[in-house]
Amino acid sequence: MRTDSSPGTLPAREHLPAGDAGTPVLDVVIPVYNEEKDLQPCVLRLHDHLKRTFPYAFRITIADNASTDTTPLVAARLGTEIPEVSAFRLEQKGRGRALRTVWSASEAPILAYMDVDLSTDLNALLPLVAPLISGHSDLAIGSRLARSSRVVRGPKREFISRAYNLILRGSLQARFSDAQCGFKAIRRDVAQVLLPLVEDTGWFFDTEMLVIAERAGLRIHEVPVDWVDDPDSTVHIVRTATEDLKGVWRVGKALATGSLPLDRITRPFGDDPRDRDIQDVPKGLARQLVGFCVVGGLSTLFYLVLYSLFRQFGGSQVANALALLVSAIANTAANRRLTFGVRGSGGAVRHQAQGLVVFAIGLALTSGSLAALNAATSDPGHSTELAVLIAANLAATVLRFLLFRAWVFPDKSDREPSTVVASHTPEPGPSSPTYTTAAQYAQHPQPYQPLPQRPVAQNPYRTTQFRAGEVADQRWEDATMHLPPVRPTDTEPRD
């Protein structure tokens, strides 16, 4: 049974306690590029909403993506006039780069972001972050495609959004409904683990982070939102869609080849009832039985098709042996991956060898049944042979499952706890450090090292200069923060 105090595990999800005043619980990042007209109304509206409705201390961070207009001046002025507002300046564009940089530098336990146009109704902000504060979920996203969402936008964007999410479901088996809604939040301890695995620095950053989180078994909370399309949006749809498709191909390839170390971050946050040792309930037995039955049913159909094919060119014993051999190899490979969750190529040859031993036992049962049938009648019909083989295979299947579970793929309860990987490779000199990608980690695995703290520069405008990509030199503190007491909620009727 995995315990929170075990070496290499991360702290369990906990409800963030109220504590020291002034400590920001929520850090809302607003990535901007040449938004001199919309930035100030957006920040003022968001600040007013949080002041009236959010019960903890908060901060609004403006992440300027190398703007060429007066956006940096507007951000600096807002930072000096409003205590809860700060500004970061990045010298390279990229929404993903901005989020990674600011989230890495933030000490708030809950990190969020939203688009500067505020297309999403702000009433969804508190429901978005509440599951993260309570410890129920690891990430939260706003969804424009949920059944109860209310969305106003043109047919072109509606079609592109739904088509993109269908592609994600079909290619990456994503189960979240809306990947690109600019309204998301994440716990800081979760971001510490996920950010080093996300390679994209642009618009695909959201999708890649969500896919990795979902595949790792983390809990993603979805909030239906009210959303109104911004007709003046500067997003280049065709170019963004092209880059997203390239990202889908890259992530899909990484998942297929196993270069993403998902097994090292699978369900590391919080207590999972599936990880508990309950007396008289074998661990994972129900799930393994379902997977084994599905694989077994498909294997039996495959075996019968092969037997009928081989029977046309030889006797019943030869056809049975060949069909059982081919289907046994496929059955072992499928059960290894789907039923018992063994990933990677390690031990595959040994598992196939043990599977062939199990195959030999099944062969003895089915061959003995055919021999008994031939001894009972000199010319049995084809349907009779199939019926005997089905009965023999049922008996062999039960034995195969027991041998697979106890011998081929045993559940090693004494397996060492997994450790989390979040390595980085700093370049010599003052240049920006870079993250170790998933593909590089697969070739050169490195243990997780805590990231050092970057000092925050002070200036009259409370604006910190960051080079794009300067993330790996940030140190993550304990995500459980002491939060300020709840302020009285506003009593205006419209709130």
Side-chain angles (χ1 to χ4, degrees):
M1 177 178 180
R2 179 182 56 77
T3 61
D4 297 330
S5 60
S6 300
T9 60
L10 296 177
R13 293 186 298 245
E14 295 179 356
H15 192 296
L16 301 177
D20 298 336
T23 302
V25 177
L26 173 66
D27 192 348
V28 182
V29 181
I30 305 177
V32 292
Y33 174 73
N34 291 346
E35 298 287 354
E36 58 184 2
K37 295 182 179 180
D38 295 336
L39 179 56
Q40 179 168 330
C42 163
V43 172
L44 294 179
R45 179 182 165 195
L46 176 60
H47 180 265
D48 176 70
H49 178 83
L50 289 173
K51 273 286 190 180
R52 291 184 292 104
T53 64
F54 194 67
Y56 296 116
F58 63 89
R59 179 172 60 230
I60 301 173
T61 303
I62 304 170
D64 177 26
N65 285 297
S67 295
T68 57
D69 59 2
T70 61
T71 297
L73 299 178
V74 177
R77 187 177 69 252
L78 291 170
T80 58
E81 295 176 353
I82 306 175
E84 292 85 3
V85 176
S86 63
F88 280 7
R89 167 74 177 180
L90 293 93
E91 299 302 332
Q92 292 184 4
K93 292 177 60 177
R95 181 176 71 174
R97 179 180 288 110
L99 293 177
R100 176 183 293 167
T101 303
V102 177
W103 282 356
S104 299
S106 177
E107 74 280 7
I110 306 298
L111 309 170
Y113 93 91
M114 61 180 58
D115 294 334
V116 69
D117 55 15
L118 294 185
S119 297
T120 305
D121 183 18
L122 293 179
N123 287 327
L125 181 56
L126 186 55
L128 182 79
V129 301
L132 308 185
I133 294 176
S134 69
H136 175 270
S137 301
D138 304 306
L139 301 91
I141 64 174
S143 176
R144 299 163 296 184
L145 303 181
R147 185 165 298 180
S148 57
S149 298
R150 292 174 288 190
V151 177
V152 178
R153 61 177 166 180
K156 180 180 179 181
R157 285 182 175 269
E158 181 77 13
F159 172 78
I160 292 176
S161 179
R162 292 189 178 274
Y164 178 67
N165 283 279
L166 285 176
I167 292 174
L168 293 180
R169 289 177 176 269
S171 58
L172 301 180
Q173 300 178 357
R175 294 189 299 273
F176 47 86
S177 63
D178 193 350
Q180 289 289 22
C181 180
F183 194 69
K184 295 181 175 67
I186 184 173
R187 287 176 64 98
R188 183 171 174 266
D189 50 358
V190 180
Q192 175 185 0
V193 182
L194 288 184
L195 291 183
L197 301 180
V198 180
E199 298 182 14
D200 191 81
T201 59
W203 293 96
F204 188 69
F205 175 88
D206 305 52
T207 302
E208 186 172 359
M209 180 180 65
L210 290 175
V211 170
I212 295 176
E214 187 175 69
R215 287 299 186 94
L218 304 184
R219 178 172 288 166
I220 301 175
H221 177 73
E222 293 197 16
V223 178
V225 297
D226 297 341
W227 195 85
V228 180
D229 189 17
D230 179 15
D232 298 326
S233 175
T234 58
V235 178
H236 194 287
I237 297 179
V238 176
R239 183 172 57 210
T240 302
T242 302
E243 294 299 323
D244 286 347
L245 292 178
K246 292 180 181 179
V248 170
W249 170 259
R250 175 176 55 80
V251 174
K253 181 179 179 182
L255 292 173
T257 57
S259 59
L260 282 172
L262 296 179
D263 57 325
R264 294 180 178 270
I265 60 174
T266 299
R267 300 203 310 268
F269 300 96
D271 180 38
D272 194 307
R274 294 170 294 181
D275 294 335
R276 300 176 186 172
D277 290 332
I278 303 176
Q279 189 175 3
D280 299 329
V281 178
K283 182 180 179 181
L285 178 61
R287 179 186 59 80
Q288 291 177 358
L289 277 174
V290 172
F292 187 82
C293 289
V294 173
V295 173
L298 296 176
S299 298
T300 301
L301 293 177
F302 184 51
Y303 162 78
L304 294 176
V305 171
L306 290 178
Y307 177 81
S308 300
L309 179 64
F310 293 147
R311 189 68 174 84
Q312 300 177 6
F313 306 100
S316 60
Q317 294 289 359
V318 176
N320 175 64
L322 291 176
L324 195 58
L325 176 62
V326 176
S327 62
I329 295 176
N331 181 276
T332 301
N335 277 308
R336 181 178 185 270
R337 175 64 178 85
L338 301 177
T339 303
F340 298 97
V342 180
R343 297 178 175 85
S345 58
V349 176
R350 175 175 57 85
H351 292 155
Q352 284 292 349
Q354 292 173 314
L356 290 178
V357 175
V358 179
F359 149 76
I361 298 176
L363 178 62
L365 286 175
T366 54
S367 298
S369 301
L370 285 176
L373 177 63
N374 291 328
T377 175
S378 58
D379 188 19
H382 183 66
S383 59
T384 305
E385 288 182 348
L386 291 180
V388 171
L389 288 175
I390 291 175
N393 267 289
L394 288 176
T397 297
V398 175
L399 182 60
R400 186 183 305 117
F401 176 76
L402 296 176
L403 290 176
F404 273 176
R405 181 176 171 84
W407 179 48
V408 183
F409 310 108
D411 181 18
K412 298 179 180 180
S413 57
D414 57 346
R415 183 179 303 164
E416 294 184 0
S418 300
T419 57
V420 179
V421 176
S423 60
H424 69 282
T425 306
E427 298 178 2
S431 60
S432 299
T434 58
Y435 276 104
T436 300
T437 63
Q440 292 170 341
Y441 172 81
Q443 299 177 357
H444 306 286
Q446 304 174 5
Y448 169 74
Q449 299 293 337
L451 306 182
Q453 177 70 36
R454 168 190 251 305
V456 179
Q458 301 292 335
N459 60 58
Y461 299 102
R462 303 176 66 248
T463 302
T464 304
Q465 298 288 337
F466 274 85
R467 294 193 306 275
E470 278 190 329
V471 180
D473 59 350
Q474 303 296 326
R475 179 170 61 87
W476 296 85
E477 302 291 346
D478 183 22
T480 302
M481 309 292 294
H482 295 289
L483 308 183
V486 177
R487 294 195 302 268
T489 58
D490 199 281
T491 57
E492 293 184 12
R494 63 189 181 95
D495 296 320

